[in-house]
Amino acid sequence: DAGVIQSPRHEVTEMGQEVTLRCKPISGHDYLFWYRQTMMRGLELLIYFNNNVPIDDSGMPEDRFSAKMPNASFSTLKIQPSEPRDSAVYFCASSFDSPYEQYFGPGTRLTVT
Amino acid sequence: GDSVTQMEGPVTLSEEAFLTINCTYTATGYPSLFWYVQYPGEGLQLLLKATKADDKGSNKGFEATYRKETTSFHLEKGSVQVSDSAVYFCALTLNRDDKIIFGKGTRLHILP
């Protein structure tokens, strides 16, 4: 079975540009999570969904960040406008029935210059 | 609030050495506890878990015992290998439907 799929794997963009990160969870999983990882702040939960509904978005840094899950097999994380401090690795993870055992994707490394 | 504290890294050991990575937690209730591992260039993956006091989680030679009296969940392995080099995250959740709270991670280097 395919794991969690994220695209792109690497993104380099200029400050002020819009960035869209994509995630396809494992088929049948009903929880989806977006995390950000940096050396300074470690691993941060940004938002998570259950059955396509956002449950907790308290980790979303500010209004520049938005996340959607239009159906069970696709989610996006958008940053508009991007800033250099948004540079990080963004992980998507999914799980079935509870957040206990989360399966992480390979991550998207975002660099904002 | 609920939180996890784990020992700062990096931890550097020689192959076949004994490993302990300390983890303590603060929680308002009775959490479930986890260890996740992140190998270089990859996402995290669940290593082991324990859902109640005195439970022992184990996987791939790693073990951790849920100690309610000391609010700890230390990770141990009797003989580490170079392939165990990774970042290890201790984590908790208060209930089955709630998000997982991760520690800051401990980087482990194993020298051949």
Side-chain angles (χ1 to χ4, degrees), chain A:
Chain A
D1 285 340
V4 174
I5 298 172
Q6 292 187 246
S7 65
R9 292 295 309 275
H10 301 272
E11 176 82 32
V12 179
T13 190
E14 291 185 348
M15 183 174 64
Q17 297 298 305
E18 178 179 295
V19 174
T20 299
L21 310 182
R22 297 172 176 80
C23 175
K24 178 179 170 55
I26 292 173
S27 177
H29 281 191
D30 52 352
Y31 281 85
L32 184 137
F33 308 82
W34 283 102
Y35 292 90
R36 177 171 70 177
Q37 186 176 41
T38 62
M39 290 294 290
M40 291 297 294
R41 294 188 299 266
L43 188 68
E44 303 172 278
L45 176 66
L46 301 177
I47 185 171
Y48 77 98
F49 297 82
N50 179 221
N51 292 319
N52 312 338
V53 177
I55 302 301
D56 185 346
D57 65 354
S58 60
M60 295 288 265
E62 49 201 90
D63 292 346
R64 298 185 298 107
F65 286 67
S66 62
K68 294 181 179 180
M69 192 165 187
N71 57 61
S73 58
F74 184 65
S75 177
T76 59
L77 179 68
K78 187 174 293 188
I79 308 173
Q80 166 62 19
S82 58
E83 296 182 3
R85 61 192 167 119
D86 301 330
S87 297
V89 180
Y90 290 81
F91 288 103
C92 176
S94 70
S95 63
F96 171 70
D97 193 45
S98 89
Y100 266 23
E101 184 164 358
Q102 296 180 23
Y103 292 79
F104 280 69
T108 295
R109 181 173 295 277
L110 173 65
T111 303
V112 183
T113 60

Side-chain angles (χ1 to χ4, degrees), chain A residues 101, chain B residues 35-37 39 45-49 56-64 73 75-78 84 88:
Chain A
E101 184 164 358
Chain B
W35 278 100
Y36 275 74
V37 59
Y39 297 104
Q45 55 185 274
L46 179 65
L47 180 60
L48 53 85
K49 68 176 188 271
K56 177 186 284 187
S58 62
N59 187 23
K60 299 182 181 179
F62 290 88
E63 293 183 340
F73 192 55
L75 183 68
E76 296 180 337
K77 187 176 185 183
D84 294 326
Y88 293 81

